Amino acid sequence: MNSLEILDNDRMTQVKLLPTVIEITSQERRMINDAAVHLQRKYGSYENRDFIRHVHQLASYFLPERILHIAADFASDFSKNQYGALVFKGLMDIDQESIGRTPANWQSADYSKFDLYGFACALIHGALPSKPVQYYSQRKGGGLIHAIIPDEKMRETQTGSGSSTDLYVHTEDAFLKHQADFLSFMYLRNEEQVPSTLYSIRSHESIGENYRPLFERIYKIPKDANLETATNEEDTLDSVLYGNFELPFMRFDAAEQLFSSTIKQSEDAHHYLKEFWEEARHLIYSDFTPQAGDVILVNNHLCAHGRSAFRAGVRNIDGVEYPCERRIMLRMMSKVSLIDMRAHTLTEDPFFVIEEHLGKNFTDL
Ligand SMILES: [Fe+2]
């Protein structure tokens, strides 16, 4: 059961839907570690297309049965009890020594140190099944895994490299028609003990008539803080909720859709969004603090993510501040179908997404 329940006048009343937490056993962890070591020997890097093309079969072969079942159920469960996030506690052993000091930023990270972890993450996506892909809109591609590392120069930004301000909850790449279906966040290091932030569209008691206007295509969907939205792109409108009316999916980015200083929604759109946010902001969950080796797997249509402000490289123990290694998290994104988005992938690489904004591609690659 992935929700808290209380007994209320002999009736079970659901009070709060929560992400499902799965404690990985030491035996399961050993299987996953061994699989990653074996696959690294065979394929060299998780970027190897032979590995990625076969990732579903490899997942079935190497992953513990319990995890395969959990992943398969998660991938096609859009029910009212599905939060849209799974937490795998202790999925991998992280060798802190071999990672060394946290690099200054993602640009200077040595990705060969992340190879084993990349294999493990790819297998989890493979089990859904979903295919790891890269997005030109994020770091010009930059590979199937992005290291998310706090960067002093980017402290104040609404990006993965920021730290000193809250990163508002958002579904990843809300400004794309073919945004990732699933995301994984593997924590290699979180010595600052920064809680993760999640928000599920399923946490609303009901998506009744009040929210029907969110299905209308009247909303400006600006790109995120990493990218500039051109003036003509402001005119492309879309809906915030989509799919099933009763149990919808969402493309939502509070910072960009509601609080952008440059892009103004129409009066109606702003009103509906604001009403929605008034309820949503009370439903944000931030009670889970990931430890090294934990993985959060998110359905990017059901569940948004973010993070609270923190001081990178500082750990507070009983009110005393100690220096620590800065946080490192590895993000992987995946799509269930390479066919559906073929108009938005590179001719020679269907795993490389070149959509720029709501159905329009980058032209200057
Ligand atoms: Fe994000």
Side-chain angles (χ1 to χ4, degrees), residues 138 148 160 167-168 170-173 183 185 224 305-306 331:
Q138 299 258 2
I148 312 283
L167 180 61
Y168 277 103
H170 58 280
T171 55
E172 200 65 39
D173 296 338
L183 312 168
F185 302 106
D224 72 21
H305 62 278
R331 176 182 60 197

Side-chain angles (χ1 to χ4, degrees), residues 49 123 165:
R49 288 296 183 267
L123 288 178
T165 47

